[in-house]
Structure formats: C-alpha cells, structure tokens
Amino acid sequence: MARRFRGESHHKVDAKGRVSIPASFRRVLESSDPNWQPGDNPELVIVYGDHRRKYLECYTMQAIDEVDAKIDALPRGSMKRKMLQRLFHGQSFPTNVDETGRLVLPAKLRKKIGLEGEAFFIAAGDTFQIWKPETYESEELAATEEWLDGLGDDVDPLQFLDEVEGG
C-alpha cells in the first residue's frame, strides 16, 4: 500500500500562482510516482472536475492510475465511462512539483475556486485537496462539525471502521 497524505496547512500563493506544497506531501508524491528518481521533480495530476467542486484534488501518479484502471474497466461508449473520462481526463491538469517544492496553479484553476493570496491544503488519504481557506471553513469544516454534533457525545467515530470489516 502506498503512503498516505496526512495533515493540513496554509500556504501563500504568489501573483504567478506559485504555492509551496507541504514537505510531507512532497515525500508521498515522490514515493507514489513510479518514474521518480532522486533529483527529479515528482509528477501529479490536479483534477478540478465539475462545477460542484470548490477545491482542487491532487492525485499521486499511483492514485490516478488506479482511477484510470477503473474507468477503463467500464464498457466503451457507456455514459458513465464518457462522463468519468471527461471529469478525470479532460478536467485535469498534469503537472509536477518544481525544484523549490512548489506547484504552479494556472489562472483557470485559481479562478475556479476563488484562490488568491492563500491556499489551504488538507490530506485526503491517497489524494490531497487545495481550498480557498474561507470556503473550506464555511462549507467543509462546518459540515464535518455538524455531522459530529449529530452523532451525540457518546458516539466515537472510530466505531464506523468496524462496519467496513463486515461489509
């Protein structure tokens, strides 16, 4: 199993769209890029997806290969395959980390999520997300807190992991 992204952090975005990636995220990108060698810049794919997404999802090469394999397993010509190809192949941006550990986010991607002076990075297992900090706090963090509050004080979210084993 590949290494997972962990943690969250805020980073400045300059006028050219350059933003530093958390160092621990760079290590995961390196270990999950089959073509990476010491001294190289690891590759990744940024999926900006449909109009409902208010963040950019960054896939390691290994993770995007897994998605591609699942898309390829769908029947050719099926609507599901066409739509997933559009979302993951068409609405994506292959890139790499530069020599200084930064990504260059094109204006189109920054505009899509309203990203200006600061970016919020959060781990999501084998991907990580880039958000406008205010959007993350008002939508994603608020939804997480609402979900937790709805569980009640005596419910530990870890108990849901036991449901995975039973199917």
Side-chain angles (χ1 to χ4, degrees), residues 55-96:
Y55 58 91
L56 306 174
E57 187 128 32
C58 301
Y59 286 76
T60 66
M61 296 312 294
Q62 187 174 16
I64 203 70
D65 285 347
E66 290 171 11
V67 170
D68 289 346
K70 289 180 180 186
I71 293 171
D72 290 347
L74 294 170
R76 282 192 186 277
S78 71
M79 186 58 73
K80 286 181 182 178
R81 183 170 175 160
K82 287 179 186 179
M83 291 300 112
L84 289 170
Q85 286 173 327
R86 185 164 297 139
L87 292 171
F88 286 91
H89 299 165
Q91 296 178 330
S92 65
F93 178 69
T95 189
N96 64 320

Side-chain angles (χ1 to χ4, degrees), residues 118-144:
E118 188 175 53
F120 177 70
F121 287 75
I122 187 159
D126 63 353
T127 66
F128 66 90
Q129 299 169 351
I130 303 173
W131 289 78
K132 178 179 180 178
E134 298 83 1
T135 304
Y136 180 81
E137 288 177 18
S138 67
E139 297 191 17
E140 204 66 13
L141 185 59
T144 301

Side-chain angles (χ1 to χ4, degrees), residues 33 35 39 49-50 53-54 70-71 110 160-161 166:
D33 180 349
N35 297 323
D50 66 66
R53 281 192 180 214
K54 297 182 181 178
K70 289 180 180 186
I71 293 171
R110 295 191 315 269
F160 299 124
L161 295 176

